Amino acid sequence: VQLVESGGGLVQPGGSLRLSCTASGFSNSDYTIAWFRQAPGKEREGIACIDVSDSNTEYADSVNGRFNISNDKARNTVYPEMNDLKPEDTALYYCRVKLLQGLALNSQEYRYWGGGTQITVSS
């Protein structure tokens, strides 16, 4: 199983970014992808997940209302769109997949993960 993230970069406060996570190497039609982030000196945080079977989503309070995650099942790709970015959103963002249905922001439920993409929010 492989996950490849893209779309990170430098953005000004209040700006937006759209990331992507493409999963490959498995044949399951039911799976869940979650996004996590970790800033230097801080604990890893689960911020959003999507069950690609029904497109149900879950968000952490820290990003609810600002982040929106969608999926393209034909491309095995999910797209978190992040709006109104704040300096405290600066972190390494990475996606993980579990080959099961079921929303969860607990990293222990996800076996496979990508290398991450850096987002820096700064003026």
Side-chain angles (χ1 to χ4, degrees):
V1 176
Q2 289 187 325
L3 297 168
V4 178
E5 305 98 333
S6 66
L10 175 64
V11 62
Q12 292 188 343
S16 299
L17 278 177
R18 189 187 192 216
L19 305 181
S20 68
C21 171
T22 300
S24 62
F26 59 93
S27 59
N28 298 52
S29 59
D30 296 332
Y31 57 94
T32 305
I33 288 185
W35 280 85
F36 296 82
R37 66 183 181 185
Q38 188 162 20
K42 294 188 177 181
E43 292 187 356
R44 180 172 50 224
E45 178 187 19
I47 58 172
C49 59
I50 184 166
D51 182 328
V52 300
S53 301
D54 54 22
S55 297
N56 283 338
T57 58
E58 181 177 345
Y59 300 93
D61 290 343
S62 59
V63 305
N64 196 22
R66 298 188 298 124
F67 288 14
N68 180 59
I69 189 168
S70 60
N71 71 295
D72 182 339
K73 199 169 182 180
R75 291 181 168 82
N76 278 4
T77 301
V78 300
Y79 304 98
E81 182 170 345
M82 300 173 292
N83 303 302
D84 190 23
L85 285 162
K86 307 175 187 298
E88 52 263 40
D89 293 318
T90 296
L92 178 66
Y93 286 71
Y94 53 99
C95 62
R96 291 189 173 186
V97 67
K98 61 173 178 175
L99 304 182
L100 296 168
Q101 288 186 270
L103 298 174
L105 295 178
N106 180 354
S107 63
Q108 293 180 347
E109 292 203 24
Y110 297 84
R111 180 176 179 182
Y112 306 101
W113 38 330
T117 184
Q118 177 69 33
I119 293 177
T120 301
V121 184
S122 175
S123 56

